[in-house]
Amino acid sequence: MKNLFKVTSTPPIDWDSWNTAHCSTAPFIQSSQWANILTEIEKSEPLYVRIYSNGSLISQSLLMKRFYYDRFTNTKKFFLPYFECLHGPIFIQNASDLNIKYTLKSLSDLAQKNLSTHFLLIPNFQQECTEINKTSLEQFGFKVKPWATYLIDLTIDYDSIRAKFSPKVRNKLNKALRSGISIKKVESYSEFETVYCPELNKIKTLAGLYGDPASRSQWTENTSNGYHYYLAYKDEQILGCIGLLVFNGTATEIGSAISPEALERKYPAQDLLHWHIITEAKKLGAKSLDLAGVNPYPETPKEHGIQSFKKKWGGQYITYNIATKNFIPAKDFLAKHTKRLIALMS
């Protein structure tokens, strides 16, 4: 078997069509659109990797060369890059074990040659007939962490979707409506920039997380089946927000947050927001809604709460792997103390 490894910095003309032809659920974060967004908002460098076996294309991977980056100041916070391949590679149907292993080795070698601190690889858990298993990942030095998500089936009618909800969900939705909570879609970039993003960032900051400024490139990728953003209001006060990405038949929850006041007063704003994106995703033609991941073995009260919240919507529980390969001995230390190191270098 003769293998060939090709890398380009611009996408082959058939990149996106090849993905969808070989995987009916080819994800947005393996697309050229996602590469364009990351390139603009944080100067990431896309590498379009194709693997051939005996002259036939057997897999392709969008590999992103990224940096710890401050999007507010447009500056790199650390000089060495890290690499990501998220929900990839995309393989031909029934790719052989040798094909999979050669692809993993090629991607790992490429990341190491580019002086990457580490390589994060999350295989596509919806790839039909092809599985990158834990044994294969560990063989090439990856540390594997189990992860999971819930997929809500949108191919059935609304009554059947609601029938899978826990009684708690139905009670929360009724309470939200009685409380006078309403949902508004973000209709313009101006509203996205001045209302949605600042509100999301404010809530993230209160939770000790990083926020990001509004990105015009991300907004301009918003087609009728692209990005959508929603805000929950009561008496003109924002209680929470959520985003929805619809691509290639799969909808994904993004940018979800709830205000401290909503938590304090026990307003079920996120319940109403989630029901809204379920109905919107179905209207937009999505076949499933991915609730964006949970820790299958929650370790903190917050993780237990996230798992409980997502489980109650009655979605199919799917497990998969998150694989990380460190290329420098101090990587674990750096990962643990990244925030402190970045602050000291600022």
Side-chain angles (χ1 to χ4, degrees):
M1 180 175 64
K2 184 178 180 181
N3 294 318
L4 182 63
F5 174 75
K6 288 187 177 181
V7 184
T8 58
S9 58
T10 56
I13 192 169
D14 62 338
W15 180 269
D16 294 312
S17 61
W18 193 93
N19 273 351
T20 55
H22 291 83
C23 178
S24 64
T25 55
F28 181 70
I29 47 182
Q30 280 293 302
S31 70
S32 59
Q33 296 101 302
W34 175 241
N36 291 339
I37 290 173
L38 276 190
T39 299
E40 182 167 333
I41 65 179
E42 60 174 43
K43 306 301 185 290
S44 295
E45 300 173 20
L47 297 174
Y48 297 89
V49 181
R50 283 185 150 176
I51 306 291
Y52 296 82
S53 178
N54 295 326
S56 297
L57 179 57
I58 55 98
S59 74
Q60 62 179 32
S61 313
L62 174 60
L63 193 60
M64 295 302 302
K65 182 179 180 180
R66 302 184 66 180
F67 294 85
Y68 293 106
Y69 194 84
D70 187 328
R71 295 182 186 176
F72 288 96
T73 62
N74 291 318
T75 56
K76 294 176 183 177
K77 289 293 187 178
F78 195 63
F79 67 98
L80 291 176
Y82 64 95
F83 273 55
E84 283 184 346
C85 181
L86 304 181
H87 292 189
I90 304 298
F91 288 95
I92 60 170
Q93 294 286 314
N94 299 310
S96 70
D97 186 55
L98 287 176
N99 291 154
I100 292 172
K101 288 181 178 179
Y102 180 77
T103 298
L104 289 177
K105 183 180 186 304
S106 299
L107 295 178
S108 178
D109 289 348
L110 182 60
Q112 188 170 20
K113 288 176 182 177
N114 278 266
L115 302 180
S116 175
T117 60
H118 66 283
F119 177 25
L120 172 64
L121 188 148
I122 303 179
N124 180 17
F125 60 86
Q126 294 193 73
Q127 169 79 68
E128 301 90 343
C129 305
T130 302
E131 180 184 3
I132 302 178
N133 59 41
K134 181 180 178 182
T135 301
S136 296
L137 290 164
E138 290 179 337
Q139 179 180 340
F140 292 100
F142 286 91
K143 183 178 180 180
V144 178
K145 175 182 179 180
W147 206 246
T149 194
Y150 290 94
L151 284 181
I152 297 176
D153 182 5
L154 301 179
T155 63
I156 56 180
D157 59 63
Y158 289 112
D159 288 340
S160 299
I161 293 173
R162 285 193 293 265
K164 294 187 177 185
F165 296 168
S166 73
K168 183 186 294 186
V169 172
R170 291 188 283 272
N171 291 336
K172 293 278 190 179
L173 291 176
N174 289 332
K175 180 180 178 180
L177 295 173
R178 290 196 306 269
S179 300
I181 300 172
S182 60
I183 307 299
K184 182 181 183 299
K185 183 176 182 179
V186 177
E187 298 287 359
S188 67
Y189 179 73
S190 175
E191 189 178 9
F192 177 66
E193 181 181 34
T194 62
V195 182
Y196 179 91
C197 286
E199 190 66 27
L200 176 62
N201 289 339
K202 181 177 72 175
I203 296 171
K204 280 187 172 182
T205 300
L206 290 172
L209 303 172
Y210 289 116
D212 292 311
S215 160
R216 183 169 288 277
S217 65
Q218 190 160 336
W219 180 263
T220 56
E221 290 288 345
N222 181 17
T223 64
S224 60
N225 286 325
Y227 285 103
H228 307 269
Y229 306 93
Y230 307 91
L231 294 160
Y233 284 89
K234 177 176 169 56
D235 301 328
E236 298 185 356
Q237 181 176 14
I238 297 175
L239 299 179
C241 56
I242 199 167
L244 177 68
L245 171 64
V246 182
F247 182 79
N248 195 28
T250 298
T252 306
E253 170 194 346
I254 57 173
S256 173
I258 187 168
S259 73
E261 181 173 9
L263 290 172
E264 181 181 348
R265 300 198 177 191
K266 297 183 179 180
Y267 289 138
Q270 276 298 334
D271 291 85
L272 195 59
L273 282 165
H274 276 74
W275 170 239
H276 192 78
I277 66 169
I278 288 171
T279 60
E280 288 297 296
K282 184 172 174 62
K283 289 176 186 176
L284 291 165
K287 297 177 181 178
S288 64
L289 172 64
D290 181 358
L291 293 183
V294 295
N295 186 347
Y297 306 104
E299 300 173 356
T300 65
K302 182 178 180 180
E303 289 183 340
H304 279 282
I306 291 172
Q307 185 185 60
S308 177
F309 181 87
K310 296 188 177 185
K311 181 180 180 180
K312 69 184 183 181
W313 297 94
Q316 178 187 5
Y317 183 67
I318 294 177
T319 59
Y320 56 98
N321 294 314
I322 293 177
T324 305
K325 184 172 182 178
N326 297 334
F327 294 114
I328 57 176
K331 173 63 188 62
D332 288 333
F333 173 85
L334 288 173
K336 184 177 180 180
H337 299 283
T338 293
K339 289 184 181 180
R340 184 181 176 191
L341 288 169
I342 288 174
L344 289 173
M345 293 188 296
S346 300

